[in-house]
Amino acid sequence: MTDNEDILLFREQIKGAKKLKQDTIITPRANLKKKAEIKEIRETEDTLFFFSDEYEPLLEEESAVKYLRENEDSYLLKQLRRGDFSPELFLDLHGLTREQAKLELAALLQACLKEHIFCASIMTGYGTYTLKRQIPRWLVQHPKVRALHQAPKEWGGEAAILVLIEI
């Protein structure tokens, strides 16, 4: 069959059909982008809900930073300390204020959950130790954080924290 024959056959088959009136509204793409941005902001705010500045967990300040969620295997901490887990995401908080760091930390946790990443590294640096002390306090409050430990030398040593996240 040639193209003309196909067209004639098609027209013959649809003879008597009524033309549809296009009366639906097609939303512009910008609205979809706005909805995605709003969803992302809402997710970050939901994560920030867990980060209270008032909460004081029982963390040993003198030794290496470490935390293990209740009912988790204690072997996880040993694996974190030895560097058995390789972080797939890295967050560098050098030079950020506490509020900026809190937002970045919330965004990191959301990214880990969205991308199904279970290990991340957070570089706190040395500086005044403000973030190094505060980051673990925020992290232990989040229900998806399984464990955290000061990073081994190859992942930043005393200036970094490795976090295991439940995905």
Side-chain angles (χ1 to χ4, degrees):
M1 267 190 177
T2 64
D3 286 342
N4 286 338
E5 290 175 341
D6 286 342
I7 293 172
L8 288 173
L9 182 62
F10 175 74
R11 289 183 189 228
E12 186 179 309
Q13 292 295 319
I14 65 165
K15 196 180 274 184
K18 292 182 183 177
K19 189 174 183 179
L20 293 175
K21 179 182 175 188
Q22 175 64 31
D23 60 353
T24 57
I25 298 172
I26 300 172
T27 58
R29 287 275 186 215
N31 286 347
L32 296 175
K33 287 181 183 177
K34 276 187 179 180
K35 285 181 183 179
E37 288 174 10
I38 289 170
K39 182 181 177 198
E40 191 173 310
I41 290 169
R42 198 169 285 141
E43 287 173 348
T44 303
E45 287 173 351
D46 290 348
T47 301
L48 283 174
F49 169 77
F50 296 107
F51 298 159
S52 169
D53 292 327
E54 314 302 316
Y55 181 70
E56 286 293 329
L58 295 173
L59 293 173
E60 296 176 29
E61 299 283 331
E62 303 85 40
S63 65
V65 175
K66 60 184 172 183
Y67 162 77
L68 182 67
R69 184 171 68 183
E70 195 174 306
N71 299 326
E72 291 287 346
D73 186 3
S74 60
Y75 189 62
L76 280 177
L77 280 179
K78 186 175 185 177
Q79 288 177 302
L80 276 174
R81 181 178 45 84
R82 289 190 318 203
D84 290 352
F85 296 105
S86 299
E88 297 179 63
L89 276 181
F90 293 85
L91 176 62
D92 190 352
L93 299 175
H94 287 97
L96 298 183
T97 65
R98 280 171 64 120
E99 289 307 310
Q100 290 170 331
K102 191 187 280 191
L103 288 171
E104 290 297 322
L105 192 59
L108 172 78
L109 290 173
Q110 285 303 319
C112 286
L113 294 172
K114 187 184 237 179
E115 301 295 324
H116 302 289
I117 293 172
F118 68 93
C119 186
S121 176
I122 303 165
M123 295 291 292
T124 59
Y126 296 104
T128 61
Y129 285 93
T130 304
L131 290 179
K132 184 166 177 64
R133 279 192 300 269
Q134 191 59 47
I135 296 298
R137 290 180 178 145
W138 286 331
L139 286 172
V140 301
Q141 297 175 58
H142 198 280
K144 294 291 186 179
V145 173
R146 295 176 64 194
L148 60 92
H149 200 285
Q150 176 180 308
K153 289 225 186 267
E154 64 265 20
W155 302 118
E158 291 182 21
I161 299 169
L162 285 185
V163 183
L164 279 184
I165 298 157
E166 179 184 315
I167 51 174

